[in-house]
Amino acid sequence: MKFYDQDGAAVAYLDEDGETIYAWGGKPLAFVEGQDIFSFAGKHLGWLENGWVIDHDGGHSYFTENASGGPMKPLKQLQNLKGLKEFLPFKGFKEFVPFKPFRSNAWGKRLFG
């Protein structure tokens, strides 16, 4: 699964394991547990919902090819080749997951990439 930003650039992807999010260049950025996305330091970053990454303010930070709802998706840009994957860092203690905000139709802040 590829993650695109509000400019349509591929910035990250979810590995075949369905858990690890890598930057397009190969650096491990975050991991997914259910719908929750955490940094490797344990910070809760947002939620993966309906093909969108939703930030703590309810904004849409990134979209996938099957994203539904949310703001209008831009045309996807041509993408470079993926970089080699780097080693995974150790996972820190996870912070508590905040309450999900109401989703807006606006773009959110960039959480990774």
Side-chain angles (χ1 to χ4, degrees):
M1 176 185 308
K2 300 172 192 166
F3 295 98
Y4 299 89
D5 66 13
Q6 64 186 5
D7 299 321
V11 295
Y13 64 94
L14 185 64
D15 195 20
E16 298 83 29
D17 66 6
E19 179 180 308
T20 308
I21 297 175
Y22 287 89
W24 204 251
K27 180 180 180 178
L29 299 173
F31 63 95
V32 179
E33 283 191 2
Q35 288 188 324
D36 296 305
I37 302 173
F38 294 92
S39 72
F40 282 97
K43 180 175 173 48
H44 187 267
L45 300 176
W47 297 270
L48 183 57
E49 187 176 287
N50 297 327
W52 290 93
V53 174
I54 308 297
D55 68 18
H56 289 164
D57 297 322
H60 296 74
S61 298
Y62 304 98
F63 68 95
T64 64
E65 294 183 15
N66 62 351
S68 60
M72 191 165 100
K73 296 182 283 188
L75 293 176
K76 292 181 277 185
Q77 298 178 16
L78 293 176
Q79 53 203 21
N80 297 327
L81 295 176
K82 291 179 187 174
L84 295 175
K85 292 180 190 173
E86 296 178 13
F87 290 108
L88 290 176
F90 291 106
K91 294 178 183 175
F93 291 106
K94 293 181 295 187
E95 67 182 16
F96 289 105
V97 176
F99 290 107
K100 271 190 188 176
F102 291 107
R103 285 176 59 175
S104 73
N105 269 340
W107 284 98
K109 58 186 167 238
R110 294 175 189 254
L111 303 176
F112 49 79

